Amino acid sequence: MPRDRIPVTIEGRDLELSNLDKVMYPAAGFTKGEVIDYYTRIAPVLLPHLRDRVVTRIRYPNGVDEAHFFEKNKPGGTPDWVRLETLPVPGSTKSRETIDFVVVDELATLVWLANLAAIELHTPQWRVGVDPDLLVVDLDPGAPAGLRECCAVAVLMRDRLAASGIAAHPKTSGKKGMQLCCPISGTQSADVVAAFAHTVAEELAVMVPGSITAKMAKQLRPGKVFIDWSQNVAAKTTVTPYSLRAGSSPTASTPLTWDEVVAMATGEMPARQFGPAEVLDRVAAHGDLLADLLRGGPVVPE
């Protein structure tokens, strides 16, 4: 066996790890071994959010500064113990196209993907076989707006959703912006959920037109926060809570408290993204701040 390949057994599953010293984030010197270590340690809170959701991976075989690719289908050499779901591609014509999607239900699958340099994990708002159990609002800042401005909009969105009986839970995107994740009933179609999210986004854009837009056109977004309601369309995916993100330094999509969001919005604390070590420390201190997403929620207004 090549010296850079290490056989491991994880919960009864056999796999090989390779090239653990390969630097994935050159500016930070963060290696593939550290990527695997992070995903292994964050797994107790990450896996429940991945369970029963097909996962789209963004792979960086030679690190974040080199070419990357999106992967939905199972890769070559997929172990026979990895859970696969053969499903129509959302949005395909007459559901004729199918993909063998990977579902990450266990630690061994998560480590296997990390070893393939699947740095980013993205999931839909629905679980296999059921309607969406999440409503997600993505807040994307157009420069010079940034995360601080997103936090201010997040508070407005939280209050508007609460008026409809929907509880919102904040997390950073790990890049520029943030998302609000809301548990819903799982009994309504993605079209219904997306239509409600669109309506609410338009309401806020009318309320604060100088700071918010609900339209995707890039020319309308400088200096504003774009409320991307379309994350609720069945074919769309959103970065999974706790997933790493590719950038000059490693960051992760990090759950926040509402006190933190308010403090970032008012400037009482820096509005920033968080690194993997910080995320692990936060989980040790707070547990999973998004645990309520796993408990179900109300129907959305139609």
Side-chain angles (χ1 to χ4, degrees):
M1 178 179 297
R3 295 174 64 182
D4 63 349
R5 292 188 174 273
I6 302 171
V8 296
T9 301
I10 300 173
E11 298 175 345
R13 308 297 199 189
D14 294 328
L15 64 153
E16 288 184 354
L17 305 182
S18 61
N19 301 315
L20 298 182
D21 293 333
K22 178 182 280 188
V23 176
M24 305 306 292
Y25 294 81
F30 199 81
T31 66
K32 189 165 84 166
E34 290 173 293
V35 170
I36 294 170
D37 177 69
Y38 168 76
Y39 274 124
T40 300
R41 294 167 65 192
I42 204 68
V45 291
L46 169 58
L47 284 173
H49 296 286
L50 289 168
R51 190 161 292 124
D52 293 328
R53 300 188 196 275
V54 299
V55 63
T56 296
R57 292 86 63 199
I58 308 182
R59 291 177 57 182
Y60 293 79
N62 295 303
V64 299
D65 291 346
E66 303 296 332
H68 65 276
F69 60 95
F70 289 76
E71 186 173 61
K72 291 181 179 289
N73 214 338
K74 68 175 184 180
T78 297
D80 59 9
W81 43 260
V82 170
R83 178 182 169 188
L84 302 175
E85 292 286 346
T86 302
L87 300 173
V89 178
S92 64
T93 304
K94 298 181 180 178
S95 299
R96 287 176 180 165
E97 185 181 355
T98 61
I99 281 181
D100 292 327
F101 288 96
V102 172
V103 181
V104 183
D105 278 353
E106 59 180 324
L107 176 59
T109 304
L110 183 60
V111 171
W112 167 69
L113 289 178
N115 186 63
L116 292 177
I119 287 178
E120 296 194 12
L121 307 175
H122 296 248
T123 40
Q125 316 324 332
W126 44 270
R127 296 181 190 266
V128 175
V130 295
D131 285 321
D133 62 353
L134 290 177
L135 181 157
V136 169
V137 177
D138 183 61
L139 303 178
D140 184 17
L147 182 57
R148 179 176 178 178
E149 288 76 15
C150 289
C151 287
V153 174
V155 174
L156 294 177
M157 179 61 75
R158 174 197 66 183
D159 294 345
R160 172 58 186 86
L161 291 170
S164 293
I166 296 171
H169 301 270
K171 70 180 182 74
T172 70
S173 68
K175 288 206 166 178
K176 297 183 299 180
M178 64 187 297
Q179 289 97 28
L180 301 185
C181 304
C182 313
I184 56 175
S185 66
T187 61
Q188 297 164 288
S189 71
D191 289 345
V192 169
V193 178
F196 171 72
H198 191 184
T199 297
V200 173
E202 292 283 6
E203 286 180 15
L204 292 191
V206 169
M207 183 190 307
V208 194
S211 301
I212 298 172
T213 181
K215 301 188 184 304
M216 296 184 186
K218 292 282 189 182
Q219 66 268 25
L220 300 177
R221 291 160 61 177
K224 297 184 180 183
V225 173
F226 169 47
I227 301 177
D228 186 359
W229 53 270
S230 73
Q231 294 291 303
N232 299 286
V233 172
K236 290 291 192 73
T237 61
T238 306
V239 64
T240 309
Y242 304 106
S243 171
L244 291 174
R245 303 305 303 271
S248 58
S249 296
T251 55
S253 183
T254 307
L256 301 171
T257 67
W258 276 112
D259 285 346
E260 288 174 319
V261 174
V262 171
M264 289 183 185
T266 60
E268 293 177 31
M269 68 178 287
R272 65 180 185 88
Q273 305 292 337
F274 295 85
E278 293 176 299
V279 174
L280 289 165
D281 288 343
R282 289 171 63 84
V283 169
H286 304 299
D288 181 12
L289 291 173
L290 297 180
D292 282 352
L293 301 184
L294 308 171
R295 301 185 179 119
V299 297
V300 304
E302 295 192 44

